[in-house]
Amino acid sequence: MSQSEQDRQKIEAARAALRMVNNGDVVGLGTGSTATHFVKLLGERVKEGLQVRGIPTSVDTKTLATNLGIPLTTFEEVQMIDVTVDGADEFDPRLNLIKGGGGALLREKIVASASRQMVVVADGSKRVEKLGRFHVPIEVIVFAQELILAKLAAIGAKAQLRVVDGSPFRTDEGNHILDCDFGLIDDPAALARTLSDMPGIVEHGLFIRMASIVLVADANGVIEVRPESPTKE
Ligand code: 5RP
């Protein structure tokens, strides 16, 4: 898919998500290029009179939303988000996700976990039968990094420290990211549990049964994908 076609699909998916937002909603604002399109479109609606309060999933999204005049709130004021709209790096037929390509997976997962509905917006390249072609981002505390690298190697993962402009990438919380190749993942829920059980891993980019719906664009338009029921757990 060409870059311009991919961008077009991202914008169409983001536009489709506007219909999931109602007047008065608290809206989780995702991070990444597709979520950015959504935030910009939401900003236009706010200028037209839509009343919402946003909870951003990153410093970048907070800055964008503030510049667009979208009112923001925090978990001090509200503990339940009506709908979160965010992107994904991959989604499978059960709507399990890999997220964190933009490094915001920790706040993204917290916001998604506090949401009545998590709406994922994606271009067609994000749809896969099995997760794992995109490397799973894992946010680690710097103190534990070498320990986690050894533990990941022991379970067969190839992990690489994320480096940007010659320096380790720092998340909004000041942690590092390890991008991990597990091959194609047969059982994402089991892998997610294994990773969650490793002290020093702050969060990982496997989002298991968190998405309510994916709005995925392709050459013909936007399709709503809902989770296939599991055949076994
Ligand atoms: C950021 C994310 C993004 O949602 C994900 O990387 C998809 O990004 P894009 O919409 O730019 O393809 O998880 O941490």
Side-chain angles (χ1 to χ4, degrees), residues 10 31-34 86-89 99-105 108 126:
K10 288 179 182 196
T31 297
S33 57
T34 322
D86 203 348
D89 299 300
K99 284 187 53 54
L105 61 125
E108 288 173 337
K126 308 296 179 58

Side-chain angles (χ1 to χ4, degrees), residues 187-198 204 209 233:
D187 189 343
L191 178 58
R193 284 193 295 272
T194 301
L195 298 175
S196 296
D197 280 350
M198 287 186 193
H204 55 77
R209 288 187 294 275
E233 270 313 311

Side-chain angles (χ1 to χ4, degrees), residues 97-178:
L97 315 172
I98 293 179
K99 284 187 53 54
L105 61 125
L106 174 57
R107 293 192 192 187
E108 288 173 337
K109 196 177 278 189
I110 293 167
V111 167
S113 75
S115 302
R116 286 196 179 88
Q117 271 206 98
M118 181 195 191
V119 177
V120 173
V121 283
D123 62 82
S125 72
K126 308 296 179 58
R127 185 176 206 161
V128 297
E129 275 307 307
K130 265 191 190 184
L131 300 178
R133 206 181 42 199
F134 193 93
H135 296 176
V136 178
I138 296 181
E139 180 161 346
V140 293
I141 288 180
V142 177
F143 172 78
Q145 184 171 301
E146 297 309 315
L147 179 66
I148 298 300
L149 280 167
K151 287 189 175 184
L152 289 170
I155 61 167
K158 294 190 196 91
Q160 218 170 14
L161 177 67
R162 189 177 296 184
V163 172
V164 175
D165 296 333
S167 301
F169 174 84
R170 290 276 181 175
T171 68
D172 286 343
E173 310 301 329
N175 298 312
H176 284 179
I177 299 259
L178 303 175

